[in-house]
Amino acid sequence: MDKTTRLISGIFNREVRAIARAITEAENRTPEASVILKNVFPHTGHALILGITGAPGSGKSTLVDRLIEIYRKQGQLVAVLAIDPTSPFTGGAILGDRIRMQAHSLDPGTYIRSMATRGHLGGLSPATVDAAYILDAARFDVIIIETVGVGQDEVDIAKTADVTLVVLVPGMGDDIQTMKAGIMEIGDLFVINKADREGVLRMEQELHALLTLTTRSDGWEPKIIKTIALQNSGLAELYENINAYTAFLERSGQRKRRHAETMNQRLIDLLQEKLLAGVLNKTLQDGDLKRYVEQIIARERDPYSVVDEILKRIGL
Amino acid sequence: MDKTTRLISGIFNREVRAIARAITEAENRTPEASVILKNVFPHTGHALILGITGAPGSGKSTLVDRLIEIYRKQGQLVAVLAIDPTSPFTGGAILGDRIRMQAHSLDPGTYIRSMATRGHLGGLSPATVDAAYILDAARFDVIIIETVGVGQDEVDIAKTADVTLVVLVPGMGDDIQTMKAGIMEIGDLFVINKADREGVLRMEQELHALLTLTTRSDGWEPKIIKTIALQNSGLAELYENINAYTAFLERSGQRKRRHAETMNQRLIDLLQEKLLAGVLNKTLQDGDLKRYVEQIIARERDPYSVVDEILKRIGL
């Protein structure tokens, strides 16, 4: 049995080291990753993918901690992919402090992994979706994908997750209308955390007003749940609402429809990634790209004609 | 003279309608856009590209207004591309209220255009860069690209702009450390706007401390400038600092280096975009993609093997 085959059977046996290794391969976009993913993919589709997004300081991480506890008490296996914004200059993850989740690190039914978004493509790294497949094939029941901020990541998460929670805190200023416009449409459930803070009533009212204005094509009316994660308050209600939403997804046939959209997007993303890699590695010679760039800078050529020429070479 | 040729000469004559039309063609990724851009590209490279980013409510737009006034008084032609976050569901721009910039709309030396980011690729839409080329070829001296929030757009803007301003406001809460981690490295100049608000001193100190921790590879030390845009206070200092930075860019050779990086990225982005479009339109038959997705959902196939198969068809 070769190394990759051992890794794959390690994933099916839910061995932490095999899983960690496989995710690293996926992050590095290695040929091994491709072999691993082809083998694990047929065994996916069972896990509940829970997307959680919110600004830094919204207490999102404590909330995730509490959700892990709840699911673990039900006997469910939980994996967390914590997505850190990447520094555009160093390429590394810049938050990275995941100390507070170490409480779960000794529990074999919980797997927590920090992942960096990659800068150049924007949005959720393709490795995140691959990591979710690996965890799904390892038979984790719940996979939580946690992202920070309001940006492309969050839009992508809504396309990948079965349920998307948006975490807000009272006292974010008078900018909720503009600031939250982008995430109003991606949230299936809205959590007002730190609900013992001043301004909770006003925030709830504003949020409610905004939600009333938005009609979803699937007919779901997003709920607002108030929590104080640090005091374990409101978590049972949140859990029930997650279940209510997943029940709705099944009942209405929306889960199937969303799954089809997700897979369509996934296929296109992967195609785009591999096409570029293929052309850079096979069609272009060493130094081609550099020479093109020099010609473009000198305005001897333009990028549009260069790309046309490259496409012609592969018959496109 | 055909329609596209007329449009191109309209751009060189800085006709508002021709420019607006050309940008729309770029947004719609039409074949005409490709012809237009091939023709205008050789005439680019003269404008100063100024990226301005900040959270909603930071007074960024008023600041842009004031900068327009300053540049116009110097006899410079100014164009603004205001990037609105796109709704992931409707595909349309969701902020869109640009009323406050209408003061300049009667000035022929100013061109203001709202553009939406496109969801599926993430980050700054390729059309934004194309629009900047069109405006550059129309001989606008300064092109301001204004984005909202902290996300992939902002990282992309730093890769496209010559100078990136990050706009902050006092009283953003105690989260500056985490919230701003991502933008600390993209800002060449930091503007604390609404500097008559409480907390300005504390914010300046925190920002200063954070900047001290960050060492830039180019040796530039980002400056902090306090403004009250609404009262036209601090704007002269901001203008001087922009000039000081651009002088530094020229002197140190960094502008050339950054330009090379930008063009390299631009070429790769364009290649990726056109490769996907080429394969979807030419290699795949109608219904191919849908059938693949169905097979993937049924777990009869996996996306990785499907993509390998498509690549093989074009010899990659």
Side-chain angles (χ1 to χ4, degrees):
Chain A
M1 199 159 63
D2 77 349
K3 213 189 64 179
T4 310
T5 313
R6 267 203 308 276
L7 204 57
I8 293 164
S9 77
I11 293 168
F12 293 138
N13 291 328
R14 210 181 308 115
E15 289 163 18
V16 170
R17 289 184 59 167
I19 292 169
R21 182 58 198 258
I23 293 178
T24 301
E25 297 284 349
E27 279 188 311
N28 296 333
R29 318 308 285 154
T30 61
E32 287 72 35
S34 188
V35 177
I36 295 166
L37 286 159
K38 282 175 192 170
N39 280 282
V40 304
F41 186 82
H43 304 272
T44 61
H46 309 291
L48 174 74
I49 318 270
L50 203 59
I52 301 192
T53 187
S58 60
K60 193 168 39 355
S61 309
T62 315
L63 208 70
V64 169
D65 266 10
R66 299 304 189 195
L67 284 173
I68 295 174
E69 284 168 23
I70 292 175
Y71 283 111
R72 291 296 297 127
K73 273 186 197 152
Q74 312 284 327
Q76 308 255 288
L77 304 172
V78 186
V80 178
L81 295 171
I83 314 302
D84 287 344
T86 308
S87 153
F89 287 84
T90 62
I94 47 176
L95 294 180
D97 112 325
R98 299 283 161 196
I99 302 160
R100 36 96 203 167
M101 288 201 290
Q102 287 187 351
H104 302 285
S105 67
L106 295 174
D107 168 10
T110 308
Y111 178 83
I112 295 173
R113 167 88 175 213
S114 219
M115 295 184 81
T117 55
R118 299 287 163 179
H120 76 287
L121 263 182
L124 212 56
S125 152
T128 308
V129 185
D130 293 338
Y133 290 150
I134 292 165
L135 294 165
D136 193 343
R139 283 167 299 125
F140 281 95
D141 301 294
V142 181
I143 301 167
I144 299 177
I145 304 179
E146 180 192 332
T147 64
V148 174
V150 180
Q152 195 55 40
D153 287 7
E154 287 60 46
V155 175
D156 287 356
I157 225 183
K159 286 181 185 153
T160 301
D162 298 306
V163 187
T164 303
L165 308 189
V166 172
V167 185
L168 304 167
V169 275
M172 292 181 83
D174 49 9
D175 292 323
I176 183 172
Q177 302 254 169
T178 27
M179 183 151 51
K180 296 304 153 201
I183 55 172
M184 288 313 294
E185 291 180 341
I186 68 166
D188 303 311
L189 298 171
F190 289 84
V191 181
I192 304 183
N193 193 30
K194 305 190 181 180
D196 47 351
R197 278 201 187 173
E198 212 180 324
V200 62
L201 197 69
R202 191 178 138 211
M203 167 162 268
E204 195 180 358
Q205 284 166 346
E206 281 184 12
L207 195 54
H208 186 77
L210 279 170
L211 287 173
T212 313
L213 291 171
T214 320
T215 320
R216 285 169 57 125
S217 57
D218 64 0
W220 172 255
E221 291 174 15
K223 302 289 180 292
I224 303 170
I225 300 114
K226 285 174 285 185
T227 59
I228 311 168
L230 220 51
Q231 296 170 27
N232 220 346
S233 158
L235 269 296
E237 199 196 337
L238 176 58
Y239 175 68
E240 279 159 26
N241 273 284
I242 293 170
N243 292 342
Y245 181 62
T246 52
F248 163 83
L249 283 178
E250 293 292 352
R251 199 172 59 232
S252 62
Q254 289 295 330
R255 187 168 184 184
K256 225 171 153 178
R257 189 187 60 79
R258 282 178 76 151
H259 192 62
E261 277 173 18
T262 302
M263 281 304 162
N264 184 62
Q265 191 61 51
R266 177 70 191 135
L267 186 59
I268 286 175
D269 289 348
L270 200 65
L271 183 58
Q272 189 164 39
E273 180 191 351
K274 299 284 183 188
L275 277 170
L276 179 67
V279 166
L280 292 180
N281 293 330
K282 295 192 183 167
T283 310
L284 296 183
Q285 307 287 318
D286 275 353
D288 271 2
L289 202 64
K290 192 161 175 282
R291 201 179 56 251
Y292 284 137
V293 170
E294 280 162 8
Q295 291 169 340
I296 290 168
I297 290 171
R299 261 64 181 176
E300 292 160 13
R301 303 200 64 180
D302 68 87
Y304 308 91
S305 307
V306 169
V307 166
D308 280 358
E309 185 189 296
I310 298 171
L311 260 69
K312 220 168 258 165
R313 280 204 234 166
I314 53 169
L316 287 178
Chain B
M1 201 158 63
D2 77 349
K3 213 188 63 178
T4 308
T5 313
R6 266 203 310 274
L7 204 57
I8 293 164
S9 76
I11 293 168
F12 294 137
N13 291 327
R14 211 182 308 115
E15 288 164 17
V16 171
R17 288 184 59 168
I19 293 169
R21 181 57 198 258
I23 294 178
T24 302
E25 297 285 348
E27 280 188 310
N28 296 333
R29 318 307 285 153
T30 61
E32 287 72 33
S34 189
V35 178
I36 294 166
L37 287 159
K38 281 175 192 171
N39 279 281
V40 304
F41 185 81
H43 303 273
T44 61
H46 310 290
L48 173 74
I49 317 269
L50 202 60
I52 301 192
T53 187
S58 59
K60 193 169 38 355
S61 308
T62 314
L63 208 70
V64 169
D65 266 10
R66 298 304 190 196
L67 284 173
I68 295 174
E69 283 168 24
I70 292 174
Y71 283 111
R72 291 297 296 128
K73 271 186 198 153
Q74 313 283 328
Q76 308 255 288
L77 304 172
V78 186
V80 178
L81 295 171
I83 314 301
D84 287 343
T86 308
S87 152
F89 287 83
T90 63
I94 46 176
L95 294 181
D97 111 323
R98 297 285 160 192
I99 302 160
R100 36 97 204 166
M101 287 201 291
Q102 286 188 351
H104 302 285
S105 67
L106 295 174
D107 168 10
T110 308
Y111 179 83
I112 295 171
R113 168 85 176 216
S114 219
M115 295 183 81
T117 55
R118 300 287 163 179
H120 76 287
L121 263 183
L124 213 56
S125 153
T128 308
V129 186
D130 294 337
Y133 290 150
I134 292 166
L135 294 164
D136 193 342
R139 285 168 296 124
F140 280 95
D141 301 294
V142 182
I143 300 168
I144 299 176
I145 304 180
E146 179 193 334
T147 64
V148 174
V150 181
Q152 194 57 39
D153 288 7
E154 286 60 46
V155 175
D156 288 355
I157 225 181
K159 286 182 186 154
T160 301
D162 298 305
V163 187
T164 302
L165 309 187
V166 172
V167 185
L168 304 167
V169 274
M172 293 181 82
D174 49 9
D175 292 323
I176 184 170
Q177 302 253 170
T178 27
M179 183 150 52
K180 296 304 152 201
I183 57 172
M184 287 314 294
E185 290 180 341
I186 67 166
D188 303 311
L189 299 171
F190 289 84
V191 181
I192 304 183
N193 194 30
K194 304 190 180 179
D196 49 351
R197 278 201 188 174
E198 212 180 323
V200 62
L201 197 70
R202 191 179 138 211
M203 166 162 270
E204 195 180 357
Q205 285 166 346
E206 282 184 12
L207 195 53
H208 186 76
L210 281 171
L211 287 174
T212 314
L213 290 173
T214 320
T215 321
R216 284 169 58 125
S217 57
D218 64 1
W220 172 254
E221 291 175 16
K223 303 287 179 292
I224 303 170
I225 300 114
K226 285 175 284 184
T227 59
I228 311 168
L230 219 52
Q231 295 169 28
N232 219 348
S233 158
L235 270 296
E237 198 197 337
L238 176 58
Y239 175 69
E240 281 158 25
N241 273 283
I242 293 171
N243 291 342
Y245 182 62
T246 52
F248 163 85
L249 283 180
E250 294 293 350
R251 198 171 59 233
S252 62
Q254 289 295 329
R255 188 169 182 182
K256 225 169 153 180
R257 191 187 58 79
R258 282 177 76 151
H259 192 61
E261 277 173 18
T262 303
M263 280 305 162
N264 185 61
Q265 190 60 52
R266 177 68 190 136
L267 186 59
I268 286 176
D269 289 348
L270 200 65
L271 183 59
Q272 190 165 39
E273 181 191 350
K274 299 285 183 187
L275 277 170
L276 179 67
V279 166
L280 291 181
N281 293 329
K282 294 190 182 166
T283 311
L284 296 182
Q285 307 288 317
D286 276 353
D288 270 2
L289 201 64
K290 191 162 176 281
R291 201 180 55 253
Y292 285 136
V293 170
E294 279 162 8
Q295 290 169 339
I296 291 168
I297 291 171
R299 261 66 181 175
E300 292 159 15
R301 303 202 62 182
D302 68 88
Y304 308 91
S305 309
V306 168
V307 166
D308 280 356
E309 186 189 296
I310 297 171
L311 261 69
K312 220 166 259 166
R313 280 203 235 167
I314 53 170
L316 289 177

